[in-house]
Amino acid sequence: MATSAEADWVSRFADEVIAEAERRAPGKPIVCASGLSPSGPIHLGNLREVMTPHLVADEIRRRGHDVVHIISWDDYDRFRKVPAGIDSSWSEHIGKPLTSVPAPPGSEYANWAEHFKAPMIAALAEMGVEYHGISQTARYTSGVYREQVLFAMRERERIDAILDRYRTKDKPAAARKPQQKLDEADAAAAEAAAEGSGAASEDDGTADAGYFPYKPYCSVCERDLTTVIAYDDETTELSYTCACGHSETVLLSEHDQGKLVWKVDWPMRWAYEGVVFEPSGVDHSSPGSSFVVGGQIVKEIFGAEQPIGPMYAFVGISGMAKMSSSKGGVPTPADALEIMEAPLLRWLYARRKPNQSFKIAFDQEIQRLYDEWDALERKIDDGTALPADVAAYSRAIGTAAGPLPETPRPLPYRTLASIVDITTGHAEQTLRILRDLDPERPITSLEETRPRLDRAERWVTTQVPAEQRTRVRDEPDTELLGSLGHGERESLRLLLDGLDDHWSLDGLTALVYGVPKVQAGLAPDAKPTPELKVAQRGFFALLYRLLVGRDTGPRLPTLLLAAGADRVRKLLGA
RNA sequence: GGGCCGCUAGCUCAAUGGCAGAGCUGCGGACUUUUAAUCCGUAGGUUCAGGGUUCGAGUCCCUGGCGGCCCA
């Protein structure tokens, strides 16, 4: 196993967490935690909230310790605002728990929270992330946190005093910030991240009647537009009014409609679950943030310790086509898994330390990424990979539970992309080209190249701009054909005459290079001269013009095979 | 105004106080190869600046600069 000299960041955290857990709660399962708010699409930035503890927990599990990774679904949080694209009538639900808001129109799910949890759950399963999901709605409405709620109310003055250390006197006057130079995706991601972490502009529970760390959801309208006006520690009688006009008095010792405010809720759960490791976004790094305040509350009020909590930086996106960003503008893990295999996505999160930001490629960069991945695999095989690279690789391809599915014949992604581009995904043609790629070890079934083939195809169809796609002409370019000189006509004739006898990848390769040689009076297998190379290039450009209407394109033999002999004859004016 | 993080080769990043290193790009070569093909070779550095601690600092401390973000 990894010694300290070759440990990566995951291993180092695992060391620390194991030691801490041993000190805090010897003999009990080690608890790592993530929190996710299903208030909208759960995007690739939020995935870091899960992957960071996942990787650490997995390392701990690999070492044979008992460990649990909790994902807390903050589905009892209030519905804050109606996102763009949703009917404005949803505004009547603002203030309700996310589990009490109807799912977006057309959804098969019971409510807003379930609708956005579902794709994340599917993605985590595909990525091999093992976790214990906890619905905060279920926790609060079943009274699990009863004692913690009553305790927090009893201690409200001390909590208020802690919060007060960070309150600033003059609330308003928050000068509008100058126009940021973020592009749309970044801005949306930053906003979504802030939403998810519950950091910004959270009502901390201050009211005229005093401070109360508990906020009831109204029994009539379900919204949290409530104000606590009285509370009795002895009887636990709590009186509130709601903006809807309703008012009532309930026994908090029996009442289950409401929750602790975020800055108290989070530390309460650290204490309740005994969380040893939980990361947080960089937006928690300022004084007064819920992470900083929570650290004091968990210690001074709940008598527990704050988790070891690395701050993680944002995850960016490069080149996401506007169209397919799933309804929210920011791509989700499901979006990424459409164009890359799960180990690749895991690798991105494993190889960078949490405090490093990185980008996930939806553009051409993904080809480079895959090249790098394949090169790493070769280095692992021949033993020349660096220890940290080996660690990241092993965390990417599987978990303590076993390896993730892999592609049996991992052909270069760029090759697959190029092939599906020109065959437009046609299975028979794709297989024919794949079979001819390596005659020594011919591919006999598309299955051998899956799932990578499917990811490449998905990438080509959803992410490659139309102007970069190869589109074989439907009709011949009669104008260009008509303007050709004698030599050019002759070259096309030589090519067409040879088509039937050279209809294979190698045959066509010899043919397309041979035509200019024959024209120059050389033997088809003559060594190329500089002049000949110029002639070849000119000939190729002519063919590309006639076949795809541009000067360049996929390698000609592949292109000819994909287009088919009949179409080639038609387009070349036979 | 306060805070967090970052700054190392052209780019993306390694280096846990102990010889500054990879990938890509570039350059040279091989190849009958083409949407950034592949293989071989090679170059590339005031580690943001200044000071301090140390036998030894990219790494630790202080001051400053620049960038990103958060809070006010």
Side-chain angles (χ1 to χ4, degrees), chain A residues 21 25-32 60 65-69 273-276:
Chain A
K28 299 178 79 173
I30 298 171
V31 180
C32 300
I60 293 171
H65 292 81
D66 199 3
V67 60
V68 60
H69 177 193
E273 306 286 356
V275 177
V276 180

Side-chain angles (χ1 to χ4, degrees), chain A residues 65-143:
Chain A
H65 292 81
D66 199 3
V67 60
V68 60
H69 177 193
I70 290 172
I71 292 183
S72 177
W73 300 103
D74 293 329
D75 54 13
Y76 205 46
D77 287 359
R78 74 195 301 263
F79 182 60
R80 288 200 170 104
K81 65 173 186 180
V82 183
I86 298 294
D87 192 281
S88 61
S89 67
W90 254 255
S91 62
E92 70 179 79
H93 303 297
I94 288 176
K96 293 182 185 175
L98 294 168
T99 40
S100 294
V101 176
S107 169
E108 57 181 303
Y109 295 97
N111 58 61
W112 190 269
E114 292 304 316
H115 175 80
F116 290 107
K117 275 161 74 172
M120 184 64 170
I121 289 170
L124 292 177
E126 185 172 343
M127 295 178 72
V129 176
E130 190 181 320
Y131 64 93
H132 174 57
I134 293 176
S135 160
Q136 291 304 321
T137 299
R139 281 286 164 94
Y140 271 106
T141 59
S142 66

Side-chain angles (χ1 to χ4, degrees), chain A residues 3-24:
Chain A
T3 69
S4 64
E6 59 189 351
D8 63 344
W9 67 267
V10 179
S11 205
R12 269 172 264 159
F13 269 125
D15 291 341
E16 199 180 339
V17 170
I18 290 168
E20 268 302 296
E22 200 58 37
R23 190 177 65 75
R24 296 184 188 185

